[in-house]
Amino acid sequence: MTTHDLTTRRVSYDSTTLDDGTSSDPFELFDTWLGEAVTAQDRGASFEAAAMTLATARPMPDGTWQPQTRVVLLKKWDEDGFVLFTNYDSDKAHAVDANPRACLHFHWTEMFRQVRIDGTVSRTSREVSEEYFASRPRGSQIAAWASRQSESVGSRTELETEYQRMEQRFAGSDVPCPPDWGGLLVRPERMEFWQGRASRLHDRIVFTRTEAAWDITRLCP
């Protein structure tokens, strides 16, 4: 078996600082960083500013837990938490039904920045789900009806045939939000901001939720 050695690869993270006392509110800092990521993307950066890794853990028959990750898109957020949308019969939805805790991870590579969010998960209201679904492009709405997310499908042709069937079903009318489709809200309990720095002396600032506010800690890189 061939061993592939990457030990000599080096990238210098010469970037801005994340100073002590930058913010006492993690949502304020996240708003700033996400805004700068959106601006960077609009100017040609190769990342998707709203992309985030969602990590969950599902129970296994032997009593252990299997971590799972996938990249999804942040669609809305406020001080209640961070919202993504999915089919409630998907792997991710079943995982949080069994274990309503998750981790979100943003990685804006060209800015040498990461944000990790640990928290609890709940479903959004039907009203929130329907409001967002109504704003989606029609093709995406039809795809939500055509795709039994995470279930096996015989072929690409079979999937496209089902999409065409849904197009015909909803021809000339609005596409309603499927009953098994909606939002997941991740309410943060811990938010870590990571800023790459030279010589691997990265900045790591952690906000941990308390009953009164947020505790702020700097971690060694």
Side-chain angles (χ1 to χ4, degrees), residues 124-141:
T124 62
S125 68
R126 186 63 181 171
E127 179 183 6
V128 167
S129 299
E130 290 180 346
E131 180 182 13
Y132 171 68
F133 189 84
S135 73
R136 302 183 86 200
R138 185 176 179 85
S140 297
Q141 293 175 334

Side-chain angles (χ1 to χ4, degrees), residues 5-58:
D5 190 349
L6 301 177
T7 57
T8 60
R9 288 185 56 82
R10 295 286 185 273
V11 175
S12 180
Y13 299 150
D14 297 325
S15 189
T16 57
T17 64
L18 181 53
D19 294 328
D20 298 323
T22 296
S23 176
S24 60
D25 183 348
F27 295 106
E28 179 181 296
L29 182 55
F30 182 83
D31 185 49
T32 297
W33 277 25
L34 179 61
E36 291 175 356
V38 169
T39 297
Q41 181 185 359
D42 290 345
R43 291 176 177 173
S46 61
F47 54 69
E48 164 59 73
M52 57 186 182
T53 300
L54 168 67
T56 58
R58 65 181 178 89

Side-chain angles (χ1 to χ4, degrees), residues 23-117:
S23 176
S24 60
D25 183 348
F27 295 106
E28 179 181 296
L29 182 55
F30 182 83
D31 185 49
T32 297
W33 277 25
L34 179 61
E36 291 175 356
V38 169
T39 297
Q41 181 185 359
D42 290 345
R43 291 176 177 173
S46 61
F47 54 69
E48 164 59 73
M52 57 186 182
T53 300
L54 168 67
T56 58
R58 65 181 178 89
M60 301 296 289
D62 64 0
T64 61
W65 291 81
Q66 175 60 53
Q68 295 177 311
T69 64
R70 73 287 286 162
V71 177
V72 296
L73 293 177
L74 175 68
K75 287 302 180 182
K76 59 189 303 181
W77 68 275
D78 55 27
E79 292 189 0
D80 287 332
F82 301 82
V83 178
L84 62 133
F85 292 89
T86 188
N87 187 308
Y88 287 144
D89 286 326
S90 65
D91 283 346
K92 68 177 80 66
H94 286 315
V96 298
D97 284 344
N99 175 31
R101 305 194 69 85
C103 178
L104 302 175
H105 178 247
F106 295 84
H107 186 200
W108 299 306
T109 51
E110 295 171 45
M111 302 174 71
F112 306 130
R113 283 179 174 173
Q114 301 180 63
V115 179
R116 195 182 96 187
I117 300 166

